Amino acid sequence: MKLSFGVRVLVVIICILISVIVAMVAGFISHSPGSPISGAVLYGGGAFAGCLILCLAVLSALGVL
C-alpha cells in the first residue's frame, strides 16, 4: 500500500496519541493513594513505550508504514 508522506505522518501521530491515552490510563490505575507519583509515571512510561512499539510494528507488518 503506497501512502503519501503526509498520511504516514498522520498515522504515526494517531499511534502516539493512542499510546498517550493508554499510558495515562495505566498510570492512573497503577497509582495508589499515599504512594509517590514517580512509580505511576514510570509505569505509564513503560505502557507508552510498549503500546507505541506494538502499534508501529503492526502497521509496519500490514505495509502501512
Side-chain angles (χ1 to χ4, degrees):
M1 177 184 305
K2 289 282 189 173
L3 298 175
S4 66
F5 180 72
V7 174
R8 288 182 185 181
V9 169
L10 287 175
V11 169
V12 170
I13 289 173
I14 290 171
C15 288
I16 291 171
L17 290 176
I18 289 171
S19 298
V20 166
I21 292 170
V22 168
M24 288 172 46
V25 170
F28 288 143
I29 289 174
S30 70
H31 180 67
S32 59
S35 65
I37 296 181
S38 61
V41 171
L42 186 63
Y43 194 80
F48 172 79
C51 184
L52 186 62
I53 290 171
L54 184 64
C55 286
L56 293 178
V58 167
L59 289 175
S60 294
L62 291 175
V64 175
L65 296 180

